[in-house]
Structures are given as C-alpha cells and as structure tokens.
Amino acid sequence: MDPQQLRTFVAVARLASFSEAARELGYTQSAVSQQIAALEADLGTALLVRRPVGPTPAGQRLLEHAAPLLVRLEAARADVARLAGAAGPPRGGGAPTPAGGAGGGGGGGANGDDTTEK
C-alpha cells in the first residue's frame, strides 16, 4: 500500500469529490482517479462508490486505519530526519561497517534521501 495513494484516498473520502481532492492535493483529477484505481487493485476491492462519492464498507474500514498509519509514517520521517540532522551529513565512500556488521543503515535506498517532500 503506497502512502501517497492512501493520502489521496483519505482526501477523496473526506471531500466526497475526486475533483476537490485533486485541487487540494495539486493533482489532476485523472491522477487522483488513477491513484484510487491502483489502491483498489492492490487491495483487491472497491474502496469508493463513485456517484455519489463515498466509502464502501471496505473503504470505511481502511479509513479507520488510514489516519493512524499516516501519522506514524510522518512521525517516522521526522524522527529519522532529526536523527540524520544530529549525525551530520552522510559520509561518502565505502561501507561504514565490516561485512556482517551490525550497522543496519549502509545498504540500499540512500539515493531517495535527496528528494523533496510535499
């Protein structure tokens, strides 16, 4: 489950409108529809009734989980950013720990740290 798709789903359900959610999130209506369709495909069930727009029973259940999930994701992001800021800039070069060491942080995904947040 992609966090951005979850945020989009919450906005559509809260506003009861794909176009209003698109405006609020800064997306096109088509992009919002595609994100909802992808989330529904991922979960294997319809989450929204289209006319009038509102959550299905599965969508209502997902909404119950969505707010705490999104809060935890944001808290994790802020916590890691705070820790990274306290540790200083990342060091370049080789692996920070010997093979099999308990570093836990030198592996993949480091390039994603350069992206800007919405």
Side-chain angles (χ1 to χ4, degrees):
M1 192 177 326
D2 179 84
Q4 189 56 47
Q5 292 171 353
L6 191 57
R7 283 184 196 92
T8 300
F9 167 71
V10 169
V12 172
R14 179 172 44 81
L15 297 168
S17 169
F18 282 72
S19 59
E20 289 297 318
R23 204 172 352 271
E24 180 177 286
L25 297 168
Y27 297 139
T28 64
Q29 186 173 342
S30 175
V32 168
S33 295
Q34 289 171 7
Q35 286 188 32
I36 297 301
L39 182 59
E40 289 176 327
D42 181 37
L43 295 175
T45 189
L47 299 171
L48 292 167
V49 176
R50 274 21 182 210
R51 294 188 195 277
V53 176
T56 64
Q60 186 60 46
R61 181 59 55 93
L62 182 58
L63 283 170
E64 293 168 11
H65 291 284
L69 284 170
L70 293 171
V71 166
R72 295 281 311 239
L73 282 170
E74 194 53 42
R77 178 185 300 276
D79 197 31
V80 169
R82 192 171 29 258
L83 181 63
R91 290 178 227 147
T97 58
N111 291 339
D113 295 342
D114 300 34
T115 59
T116 58
E117 295 182 29
K118 282 194 155 189

